[in-house]
Amino acid sequence: MQMMTNIRAAALPDRVALVLAEAQGALSRGNVEAAIDALRAVLNPESTDEQQSMVRVNLAAALCQQAQSLAQNASAIGILDEAASLLNQAIAALPARTRNWALARTNLAVVLLTRGNRANVPADILMAHLALDGTEEVFATAADEAGRTWSRAVRDHLTEFHERRASLR
């Protein structure tokens, strides 16, 4: 499942804005490593402003894509743990119930779903459901139909996954 990014380079100043745009281009071309390297280069661990929060959101999206491509579960889980940490930091710093907050929470749901599948941890799946709480409404209020549809698709995927697991018991 692909994660969404939110890169509005024109609204962001300086080098970070350019790197965000370059990372988006790299991701769209399938060059996940280049996106990760570029985003890590502009990540400021001490800063919690909105721009740095979006660097975290986009880095987490790239890390999740990287983890999804790995065959070895242990390596993928470590990367997904880093992505979840970045998203939790971003969510804590972003104003609640904004589009970027909903974007970060929906990305967190994808990371937790992916981690739950890899580690076979049902609690991750439950946490993914909780991460989605309120996201559809925020996207609807922001008139972001693509975000709302994406959030709903993640929820549907989680429900389908839960139903499949329940039928295997």
Side-chain angles (χ1 to χ4, degrees), residues 16-36:
V16 175
L18 294 173
V19 169
L20 284 168
E22 289 171 10
Q24 179 62 41
L27 287 173
S28 68
R29 292 187 305 278
N31 193 346
V32 176
E33 295 298 327
I36 290 170

Side-chain angles (χ1 to χ4, degrees), residues 28-46:
S28 68
R29 292 187 305 278
N31 193 346
V32 176
E33 295 298 327
I36 290 170
D37 290 344
L39 291 164
R40 283 193 194 283
V42 295
L43 179 63
N44 179 352
E46 283 79 45

